[in-house]
Amino acid sequence: MSFTKPDVHLWTSIFFGVLVSLCIAAAADVKFTDVTDAAGIEFRHFTGATGERYMPETMGAGCAFLDTDADGYLDILLANGTSWIPAGPVDTPKLYRNVGNGQFVDITAAAGLNVPMYGMGITAADYDNDADLDIYFTNVGKNRLFRNNGDNTFTDVTEFAKVGDTGWSTSAAFFDADKDGWVDLFVCNYVEWTPETDVPCTVNPPGAKQYRTYCTPTVYPGQSCRFYRNQGNGTFTDMTSAAGLYNPIGKSLGVTLLDYNHDGWIDLAVANDTAPNFLYRNNGDGTFTDEAVVMGVAFSETGKARGSMGIDAADVYNTGGTAIVIGNFSNEKTGFYYAASGAAYFTDRTDSVGIGKPSYRSLTFGILFFDCDLDGALDLFCVNGHIEPEVLHYQQHIPYAQPPSLFRNRKDGTFRDIGKGAGLDRIGVGRGCAYGDYDNDGDVDLLVSNNGVTKDYGTVWLLRNDSEPSSNYLRVKVMGTRSNRDGIGTSVRLTLGDSIQQQIVRTGGSYCSQSEMTLTFGLEKNETVTHLEIRWPSGETDQYVELEANQRIEIVENGSKK
């Protein structure tokens, strides 16, 4: 058969048309369903707003997927505000227990967590190595540490543990900074603010009356983050200055754990609001060095400190490199910094990877990498929402409530926003987000917390992953013996033919939130994992070969698997 020139053009058009159709169909396979009401979760974020426009009202709050009772089902914990007025309405965090059939039950009071606090963030880990998860709340005012009693109740041990920072704390992360087998605690602090020192900020829209608005952090001095070393006896010691982590210019909102120089020591990346970001290299001797400027992640590519909120890091290309992603203010784009394996520094690839233009109008708080379709490539989820309810009065095209974004990893170095096609078109005032497989079906679900400064928003979203057709997976949970009990800082490498995926067991990340610590590896249609290597913080290495797909395995540091 021969073709004339018009025939070639015709078949070329048909070919590219089919290719585009296949790409659209593939994106449409990803689907999330809002099952919040059906799951029995009734929650509205309470800000205590009285019209004074206190800055913390618009900044909270976070959420977490965590298994508080070790029954194999992820529970949901939600930070919450309370009244500024002593005699005003009282609200508390909420703990919803997963009863295993897609339903959740509010057990906050029974668990002893019905404690009023102006909540911002959550992190959780087994800080006392007794085989259950303890909870740390960051607040405007005193932070609180609750020890898990192992019987579905918690005890406030803040005073005894000496971790009750009384400033304005945001995100936090447990990790074993010195590899002594006990997790330490890093706490982000924001700005020096109290109701008594509140600064009234106003805007003057063209042709409209001046009105009160929420301030930006530029009007307040910053606070230093805090670092608490675990003494192994239930108490912590503030080692912020001794560890080289004291810096009051930060205005820090997000922290993520990573090992960007691949030396086996957990480093810290910190997102700062209108101040240079931090990248703390763990020196392995109890101290840290900020390398953000020299490594290229302190500023935007134009040398500007942006309004940064949430943060995450991962090997998104399965090549051993590190990507750091940071949610920024509207008109600033989400930041995507990448360093290939062995690279001397990070480069800002926001535009070249395809997330610059789609994120330009968004104000992104919670942000995380996860594999939405189990294809073995980590995707990017962002929750968005402005801080000012009246923003449209003075900034056209920047709405207060905004839909989330889901950037699918196209495996060619770029990402494509498929949020709307994946059912993520609902608008909200997004703040925190977390991932976890709450229904134990192998794919990863999402949890989103929205700010409640207006009556129209403030609900939580439980988004079940209903993507079809389902791909294969391997889920890995680790348990340390010489290392800390949760295995935080453990590096897990999965080999699938010529492809290598690598993830680190972590707390923190996103914005004021925490995802599950079980790692999920997407296998596409592969039914066997060639090789699995677990590198523990203690230096021990465990290895397994020819593992069947579609199972959740628990690895104990002594080399056993169950």
Side-chain angles (χ1 to χ4, degrees), residues 325 355 367-370 378-382 405-407 415:
V325 65
I355 67 173
I367 192 166
L368 53 84
F369 287 116
F370 80 122
L378 294 176
D379 310 293
L380 177 63
F381 180 66
C382 312
S405 307
L406 177 58
F407 293 96
F415 292 76

Side-chain angles (χ1 to χ4, degrees), residues 300-554:
S300 71
E301 61 182 356
T302 61
K304 177 185 176 184
R306 294 184 281 198
S308 300
M309 274 72 73
I311 188 170
D312 200 10
D315 177 5
V316 296
Y317 300 132
N318 297 335
T319 58
T322 301
I324 299 175
V325 65
I326 301 177
N328 292 314
F329 210 79
S330 53
N331 298 325
E332 289 186 335
K333 305 178 186 177
T334 291
F336 188 99
Y337 302 91
Y338 184 72
S341 179
Y345 51 84
F346 289 81
T347 57
D348 189 334
R349 296 191 178 180
T350 303
D351 291 323
S352 64
V353 301
I355 67 173
K357 186 176 179 180
S359 67
Y360 184 72
R361 301 284 186 191
S362 300
L363 198 164
T364 301
F365 276 84
I367 192 166
L368 53 84
F369 287 116
F370 80 122
D371 191 349
C372 71
D373 49 8
L374 300 177
D375 68 347
L378 294 176
D379 310 293
L380 177 63
F381 180 66
C382 312
V383 295
N384 310 308
H386 210 276
I387 63 169
E388 174 50 58
E390 309 299 330
V391 61
L392 278 174
H393 289 176
Y394 58 91
Q395 285 193 35
Q396 293 183 359
H397 312 300
I398 305 289
Y400 173 56
Q402 303 172 6
S405 307
L406 177 58
F407 293 96
R408 194 179 198 181
N409 190 331
R410 303 169 79 176
K411 296 186 177 182
D412 62 358
T414 67
F415 292 76
R416 177 173 176 264
D417 188 0
I418 62 166
K420 187 174 182 180
L424 300 173
D425 53 356
R426 183 179 178 183
I427 61 172
V429 187
R431 294 298 182 257
C433 64
Y435 63 79
D437 181 14
Y438 84 90
D439 51 2
N440 287 348
D441 65 351
D443 56 25
V444 185
D445 311 297
L446 294 168
L447 183 67
V448 175
S449 58
N450 290 288
N451 181 268
V453 78
T454 72
K455 63 182 178 63
D456 300 314
Y457 304 104
T459 59
V460 63
W461 300 342
L462 176 61
L463 304 173
R464 187 181 64 209
N465 193 332
D466 290 332
S467 301
E468 293 289 348
S470 59
S471 295
N472 296 333
Y473 64 89
L474 183 72
R475 285 173 50 77
V476 181
K477 179 177 173 57
V478 302
M479 181 184 299
T481 52
R482 286 183 57 197
S483 303
N484 64 87
R485 180 83 178 191
D486 292 320
I488 297 166
T490 300
S491 173
V492 180
R493 291 166 56 92
L494 180 146
T495 302
L496 199 66
D498 295 330
S499 174
I500 297 177
Q501 300 179 45
Q502 180 170 295
Q503 297 184 39
I504 298 174
V505 179
R506 302 178 301 160
T507 63
S510 184
Y511 171 76
C512 290
S513 300
Q514 181 161 312
S515 298
E516 66 170 337
M517 283 188 276
T518 298
L519 305 179
T520 298
F521 294 91
L523 308 180
E524 291 188 294
K525 298 305 177 184
N526 294 281
E527 298 181 352
T528 304
V529 171
T530 309
H531 183 247
L532 190 72
E533 180 181 81
I534 295 91
R535 298 178 180 176
W536 301 90
S538 66
E540 296 290 331
T541 299
D542 290 324
Q543 301 188 54
Y544 301 90
V545 296
E546 301 302 317
L547 295 170
E548 292 184 3
N550 299 328
Q551 62 170 323
R552 178 182 181 271
I553 61 175
E554 295 186 14

Side-chain angles (χ1 to χ4, degrees), residues 83-90:
S83 179
W84 300 113
I85 305 170
V90 173

